[in-house]
Structure formats: structure tokens, C-alpha cells
Amino acid sequence: MKKNIGIIGYGNLGRGVALALQKTPDMALAAVFTRRDPASITPLGGALSLPLTEAPSWRDKIDVMILCGGSATDLPTQTVEYAAWFNVVDSFDTHARIPEHFTAVDTAAQASGHLALISAGWDPGMFSLNRLYANAILPEGSDYTFWGRGVSQGHSDAIRRIPGVRNAKQYTVPVESALEAVRAGKRPELNTRQKHTRECFVVLEPDADAAAVEQTIKTMPNYFADYDTTVHFISEEEFHANHGGMAHGGTVFRSGLTGSNAEHTHVIEYRLTLDSNPEFTGSVLTACARAVCRMAAAGRQGCLTLFDVPPAYLSPLSGEELRRTLL
Amino acid sequence: MKKNIGIIGYGNLGRGVALALQKTPDMALAAVFTRRDPASITPLGGALSLPLTEAPSWRDKIDVMILCGGSATDLPTQTVEYAAWFNVVDSFDTHARIPEHFTAVDTAAQASGHLALISAGWDPGMFSLNRLYANAILPEGSDYTFWGRGVSQGHSDAIRRIPGVRNAKQYTVPVESALEAVRAGKRPELNTRQKHTRECFVVLEPDADAAAVEQTIKTMPNYFADYDTTVHFISEEEFHANHGGMAHGGTVFRSGLTGSNAEHTHVIEYRLTLDSNPEFTGSVLTACARAVCRMAAAGRQGCLTLFDVPPAYLSPLSGEELRRTLL
């Protein structure tokens, strides 16, 4: 009997989850719940499209609800709200606010007797797991996280808010020489500018002042001022032809020392090269939904992160199969 | 109150564990148990050196016993035997025999009410974890494991058994073009020869026939016949000057597909570059001992692998600290 999965929010991430569910032997998409007109959405695999307001009435028919809204305004309220009715999984990714989100979701899930898993995806998510494992193994050392090459939605949005800008895409690019130094075990001290550059592709309004826009971008506090930034002005046609992708990725390193005099260096590197950020993130959320089914069935309640999940629970294989084939 | 850790077997791996325990805030090395003359060993940090026969009398004073013997003959009997008296951790690495070892250790640990964690280290161990996570996330795809550049003890031993050979070291070397093809998401089909080469450094006896030795190495079934093998004859002096290191490492990849027509490729890469194989493996075993302390305290019994361990249990930090600093 397949577990019934629900999705709240059917944007890129929701579709990524729906695609991942088509590859699972043990879970199926039952329904998508949306704030839009449900008739405007045709979920993959013949699942229902329903108004969000109907979600609570499905509380006995959905094993895990996967929340696919944004971290800025949707998830801080939605995950807490829906943990009252469902086991839930989200991809809340505002790192600085994870502790408060965890507490709020934990309180709601404990009160309703459900299980929640928050901040799944790749960062937070798989990158976090690799930071944790590597720190537990090598307590003496340095951590490095590089992102990209990939699109930063926040930075793209910031450029689009500049007067005279019609459209924009910003790529975060790791500095190759910094990556190589870390990979070689040199444990460099790197400031913000030394780790990433920012590359912007901008479509201007017809009467815009290109030099002024470029200056505004490059000096924007927090977003660009601390980075070496390149700005390319392109046509709307080129923008749509070449900058519609959702590729992303990055690399987490820990470079640690062992020995009686810290004479041995070890480098642990975890690298993701993703053609589709939302499809990969949706695949992680889907594996997490499987773990939540199992841990909830075993009586767990409250809020978890991937740090708390025995890895075997993410796989459809039995413990015996896993030991035989992957150990 | 620090947890008391014991070590059985004080070779390179045992010393690696002892070094790792010097960096832990919550565990300390209590005693080393050895089949050798205990007076010949001075464990790090002032721990006791005791005859192996005394180990059972320490059953109430050791929280976790870490077994640091070899997989060929020591661990298949030792882990089972000592699980009768202790919570145990081992690095059993004969992949094909893990299922039977698991069953034997599980039976012993269940009978005595102890907890055992087997096959920890990097392969099996961290590489296995990465294969599991990546397969759970990307069910459609291909797995690749590359080892090296690093010393294979088994292959070095095989060369040393050839008449006329005084000393030998064999390095397993991944084929760079194969690594690059996998990293680029090309999902190549690779046979044994296309993944690794073997490089041998051999010291001959004075009257040995170099050509015959080289021919014997290159045609040795299972060990070398399926690989492109290079043989270098060197002096005893050069051997000791340049080939005493214990560096190793390798890379695990999963290259997986998502999308409505498998149109998106994702590459997950986990790479280890280790100056000291036994010190890194010892560091993994030490983190596993921490997890075993916690899971045993929570009432778990029987046999586990890293697949069953919630990652947070490997770290000395609290769940709150982990979420705040590493998520």
C-alpha cells in the first residue's frame, strides 16, 4: 500500500516533488493544494488539484504533506499551521532563522501529535549533513562552503528592483583558485571577495542609463559591494534564450588535521552539480517524506531535521538490502 | 563525566583511534588491550596497556570497546566475542562478508544486551553513507567508486609473496579521464581497466630476475591481470625514503537523472584526500563510539551500521548547537 503524499504550492519546487514521486515504489502523489485556481493546475500522474482551504479535510487521507512555498513569507506560517493536521516536510532555507522556525514547528507538531522535518534540500540539507559528518570526524579543521555556478534568486530580484531594469539574472560563481587551494589542503583564510564573484545579465528599459545601473548594482550594500561583480547588458531575446535555466550547485569542504603534531591533513569534499535546482531539492524532500512516514509510524513526534534521521530511513530498500548492496 | 573507551589491538589503526580520542571533550582512552607484551606498548595520554586476556574483567569500566584488528582473521571472531561483554565498534571491511558478520555480531549483542556498530571507516563507512544518501535522492542513475591514489595492502602483500621480491608497495590510481567523464555527467560505462591503474614499487633480492618478477606481477589473476600495471624496481633506500606513507582516498559519485524525460543530470561527488588512512579511519571509529554510547543509553541493542545512526549522535554538539551552526 503506497503512502499518500500531498503537496502545498505547485511552483517549480512542487513540480520537482511531483516528478520525484513518479520514481518512488512506495509513495504516490494524492493531491496538490493551491492558492491559485485549482482548475489552472494539472498535477503530474493524475493527482487531484484542490483549493488550499480544503487541505484540513484531507487530514486522514494524507500521510505526509510536503510544503513547497517560499521561505520568506510562506513557510514560517504554513509549516506551523499544517503541522496541526499533518506530518509535514519543508525546505525552509533562511539559515539565520532556522532555530526559531524549528521551535515554532516543534511546538505545533508536539501539540497535534505529528512529525515535522524542516530545512531539507541541499543547503540547508545535504550540505549541512556533510558539514556535520565532517566536523564530527575531524574536530580540528576548517569548513568551507562554495555555491555555484548558479542563479541566486535574491540577487536577481534585487537587480530587478533598480529603476531602468526590465529583467535580470545573477549568477554566483565560486573563485576557482580558492576552490583549488582548499582542495589542496592549504586551509586558506578567505574573505567574501576571495570566495565568490557575481555575474549579472541585465535587460534594460529602452531609455535606461546603463552606466548608472551598473554603478548601482556594483555598489549595492550586502548584495554586491563586497564582491567582484561583472554586469552584462543583453537583449530580451538573449535573456530568454540563454538564461532560463535553473542549474545550481556548490561544494562543501572540511580540511582537518590529525596526528601527534597535527602533521596530517585530510580534505573531505562534497560537491553537487545540478541541472535543475528545484528538481533536485524536490527529490530530497521526497526522500525525507519517506523517512517521516517511518519515524511517525514508530511514534516520533515534534520537529526534526536531517541531522536526526537515520540514513536508512530515506531509502526504499530494507536494511539487509542496503548492507548487501551499498555498504 | 567522560565516557571510557577501550581499544583492542594497538597497530596503526589503534594509534589512530588513540590520537582521535585526544581531541574529544566527552570521551577518554581508558586502556589498550593487546596480544603482545603489554610492557612493549605505551598508549597515548597515559592510558593503561593490558593483556587481552584481562579485557573481560573490564566489562563494567569500559563504555565502548573499539576493535582495531584486521578484517581477514581478527574481527570475524573478535567482534562477536567481545560483544558478549562490551558495546563494540569495528571497521570490518570485507564487503562481500558484511551480511554474515552483521548477523553473527547481532546475535551476540542481542544475547548480551549490548550495542555493536560494524564496518565503520571510509569504505565501508563514509563512502557507503554517500552511496545511500545519493541513491535515496536520485533513484534513477549510476554509481561510481574510485579509490586512490593510495596504497593497497592486499596487493602489496601479493607482490611480496613472489620469489625474488624483498619488499613492495602497490598504489591504486584512478584514471583521471574516467573521473572527469563521470564528473561531467556523461555516465560512462567503465570496465575494471578503465577505472584504475596499478603502480608497483618493488625491491628485488640481489639475484632476482627482474623481467620474470614483472611478468609474474602483471599477469597475476584477480590482482593485476585486469589492470594496466606499471612496475618500478627501486633500491631498499628509496623504498624506505619515499614509500612509507599511508596516504589514501577516493571518490564516490552518483550521476542521476530527473525531469519528465530524464532531461536533467545531477552529479553528486564525495571525495576524500587523506594523508593518513589509519588516522582518518580511527577518527571515524571514535565518532561512532560516541553514537554507540548514546544509542546504548537510549536502550538500543544488537548490531548497527552507520546507515542506522542519526548523524547528530556522532557529534559532541547539542541538537540546538548543530542547527544553529551547521544546518
Side-chain angles (χ1 to χ4, degrees), chain A residues 39-312:
Chain A
S40 70
I41 291 172
T42 307
L44 289 168
L48 295 168
S49 176
L50 300 168
L52 183 53
T53 50
E54 283 188 24
S57 70
W58 278 69
R59 64 175 170 274
D60 298 326
K61 287 174 277 188
I62 298 280
D63 295 291
V64 179
M65 188 70 91
I66 303 182
L67 295 152
C68 296
S71 294
T73 56
D74 297 330
L75 298 177
T77 57
Q78 282 186 348
T79 309
V80 175
E81 181 180 351
Y82 291 97
W85 295 301
F86 300 100
N87 300 317
V88 292
V89 172
D90 83 14
S91 64
F92 184 77
D93 67 359
T94 313
H95 288 262
R97 302 190 64 183
I98 287 173
E100 68 185 280
H101 187 56
F102 182 92
T103 301
V105 173
D106 190 51
T107 302
Q110 295 282 7
S112 72
H114 286 99
L115 186 62
L117 193 160
I118 64 161
S119 300
W122 57 276
D123 195 5
M126 297 312 298
F127 274 17
S128 322
L129 275 175
N130 277 279
R131 286 188 282 259
L132 166 49
Y133 279 118
N135 274 268
I137 296 167
L138 298 173
E140 187 177 349
S142 307
D143 290 309
Y144 300 88
T145 301
F146 292 89
W147 295 277
R149 176 185 177 102
V151 174
S152 165
Q153 212 51 63
H155 288 77
S156 301
D157 290 346
I159 299 172
R160 276 194 294 266
R161 284 192 295 265
I162 297 170
V165 171
R166 173 180 288 180
N167 219 334
K169 207 103 179 199
Q170 192 270 183
Y171 297 89
T172 304
V173 185
V175 174
E176 202 55 44
S177 59
L179 274 171
E180 284 309 318
V182 173
R183 193 169 281 138
K186 294 179 183 166
R187 302 204 303 140
E189 297 225 5
L190 299 167
N191 63 28
T192 299
R193 192 178 300 273
Q194 290 167 325
K195 289 179 69 184
H196 297 94
T197 58
R198 299 197 175 279
E199 194 172 4
C200 311
F201 293 84
V202 178
V203 182
L204 292 174
E205 298 289 358
D207 57 348
D209 176 345
V213 167
E214 181 165 345
Q215 179 68 7
T216 304
I217 293 172
K218 289 185 170 179
T219 58
M220 198 185 296
N222 304 318
Y223 286 87
F224 295 99
D226 298 334
Y227 297 86
D228 290 336
T229 300
T230 315
V231 179
H232 307 277
F233 294 104
I234 61 174
S235 68
E236 189 83 30
E237 294 68 39
E238 186 182 341
F239 188 89
H240 288 292
N242 298 335
H243 299 283
M246 290 184 280
H248 214 317
T251 313
V252 169
F253 290 95
R254 184 162 178 86
S255 184
L257 304 172
T258 66
S260 38
N261 292 300
E263 69 273 25
H264 294 133
T265 298
H266 308 279
V267 180
I268 304 175
E269 173 175 355
Y270 181 78
R271 184 183 195 175
L272 295 176
T273 309
L274 311 176
D275 270 1
S276 167
N277 185 356
E279 289 178 13
F280 186 83
T281 301
S283 297
V284 176
L285 294 177
T286 299
C288 287
R290 173 180 295 122
V292 165
C293 285
R294 292 171 172 177
M295 296 175 83
R300 283 291 287 262
Q301 299 181 0
C303 192
L304 307 173
T305 73
L306 274 165
F307 291 170
D308 307 301
V309 176

Side-chain angles (χ1 to χ4, degrees), chain B residues 23-66:
Chain B
K23 305 285 183 186
T24 57
D26 52 345
M27 298 183 285
L29 178 59
V32 165
F33 300 91
T34 178
R35 283 181 298 219
R36 290 182 275 166
D37 174 9
S40 71
I41 291 172
T42 307
L44 288 168
L48 295 168
S49 177
L50 300 168
L52 183 53
T53 50
E54 282 189 23
S57 70
W58 278 69
R59 65 174 169 275
D60 297 326
K61 288 174 277 189
I62 298 281
D63 295 293
V64 179
M65 189 70 91
I66 303 181

Side-chain angles (χ1 to χ4, degrees), chain A residues 23 128 140 258 269 279 327, chain B residues 23 128 140 258 279 327:
Chain A
K23 305 284 182 187
S128 322
E140 187 177 349
T258 66
E269 173 175 355
E279 289 178 13
L327 194 64
Chain B
K23 305 285 183 186
S128 323
E140 188 177 349
T258 66
E279 289 179 12
L327 196 63

Side-chain angles (χ1 to χ4, degrees), chain B residues 12-226:
Chain B
N12 290 326
L13 181 57
R15 280 190 293 275
V17 170
L19 282 165
L21 284 167
Q22 295 195 306
K23 305 285 183 186
T24 57
D26 52 345
M27 298 183 285
L29 178 59
V32 165
F33 300 91
T34 178
R35 283 181 298 219
R36 290 182 275 166
D37 174 9
S40 71
I41 291 172
T42 307
L44 288 168
L48 295 168
S49 177
L50 300 168
L52 183 53
T53 50
E54 282 189 23
S57 70
W58 278 69
R59 65 174 169 275
D60 297 326
K61 288 174 277 189
I62 298 281
D63 295 293
V64 179
M65 189 70 91
I66 303 181
L67 295 152
C68 296
S71 294
T73 57
D74 297 329
L75 298 177
T77 56
Q78 283 187 347
T79 309
V80 175
E81 180 181 353
Y82 291 97
W85 296 300
F86 301 100
N87 299 317
V88 293
V89 172
D90 84 14
S91 64
F92 184 77
D93 66 0
T94 312
H95 288 263
R97 303 190 63 185
I98 287 174
E100 66 185 279
H101 187 56
F102 183 92
T103 300
V105 174
D106 190 52
T107 302
Q110 295 281 6
S112 71
H114 285 99
L115 186 62
L117 193 161
I118 63 160
S119 300
W122 58 275
D123 195 4
M126 298 311 299
F127 274 17
S128 323
L129 275 176
N130 276 280
R131 286 188 282 259
L132 166 49
Y133 279 119
N135 275 267
I137 296 167
L138 297 173
E140 188 177 349
S142 307
D143 290 308
Y144 300 88
T145 301
F146 293 90
W147 295 276
R149 176 181 176 102
V151 174
S152 165
Q153 211 52 61
H155 288 77
S156 301
D157 291 345
I159 299 172
R160 276 194 294 265
R161 284 192 294 265
I162 298 171
V165 171
R166 173 180 288 181
N167 219 334
K169 206 104 179 198
Q170 192 269 184
Y171 296 90
T172 305
V173 185
V175 174
E176 201 56 42
S177 60
L179 275 172
E180 283 310 317
V182 174
R183 193 170 280 139
K186 293 178 182 167
R187 302 205 303 141
E189 298 225 5
L190 298 168
N191 63 28
T192 299
R193 193 178 298 274
Q194 290 167 325
K195 290 178 70 184
H196 297 95
T197 58
R198 300 199 174 277
E199 194 172 3
C200 313
F201 292 84
V202 178
V203 182
L204 292 174
E205 298 289 357
D207 56 348
D209 176 345
V213 168
E214 180 165 347
Q215 179 69 5
T216 304
I217 293 172
K218 289 185 170 179
T219 57
M220 198 184 294
N222 302 320
Y223 285 87
F224 294 99
D226 297 334

